[in-house]
Amino acid sequence: MKRFFAVLCIVGLAASFSFGRDMSKKTGIGFNSQLSGLGVDSLSVRYWFSKKMAVEGLLGFSLGDDTIFNIGGKFLTVLKEEKNLNLYGFGIIGIESYDPDFGKSDTALTLGGGFGAEFFFSDFPNLGFGAEVGLGFNNANDKSRFGTAAGWLSAVGIRYYL
């Protein structure tokens, strides 16, 4: 597993000098399923402040018997650009407030990092489809978890860029 991530990092860094889609000064609004350790999707606002770097704010909630609220941020850097695809590395941090028992609330921390890809169709250049995978830590429900898990740090997202 370590070898896979090392090879992925080396290939991404070696190929990072190609020409590709310039996203600088663009803002994308959509969703991301990455922040929550409890399965809540987050609304996402991603801003590319240069051709190679972006920040993303995440906000999610679920109301009802199990009230959940999360907020977080992500920093992204492009590793490889192609005509309709950006490959990037990211770091993420967030907190999540939830109510495991009626009347008692708890807070969980999410930390992580990994790699992602955002794809754009030629006919719809402002609509981005993304997928991310990485390693992370989450301590929701009094259970500390480190690693990868489906629906946790394996994430998908869709954004429309203004």
Side-chain angles (χ1 to χ4, degrees), residues 109-123:
L109 173 69
T110 298
L111 296 170
F115 301 95
E118 190 165 27
F119 176 77
F120 301 87
F121 290 110
S122 297
D123 293 338

Side-chain angles (χ1 to χ4, degrees), residues 10-82:
I10 291 169
V11 169
L13 290 173
S16 66
F17 297 104
S18 64
F19 298 97
R21 184 168 176 77
D22 184 5
M23 296 299 295
S24 60
K25 309 297 183 208
K26 291 227 179 201
T27 301
I29 299 171
F31 85 94
N32 192 308
S33 63
Q34 185 172 37
L35 181 61
S36 177
L38 301 170
V40 175
D41 293 334
S42 298
L43 300 173
S44 160
V45 176
R46 182 178 289 181
Y47 178 70
W48 290 92
F49 54 88
S50 75
K51 187 175 180 177
K52 296 273 190 184
M53 295 188 185
V55 292
E56 182 174 358
L58 302 163
L59 175 68
F61 61 90
S62 172
L63 303 175
D65 291 338
D66 297 324
T67 300
I68 302 167
F69 176 80
N70 65 44
I71 188 167
K74 191 186 306 186
F75 179 78
L76 300 92
T77 184
V78 173
L79 301 173
K80 179 170 176 50
E81 299 168 297
E82 295 185 9

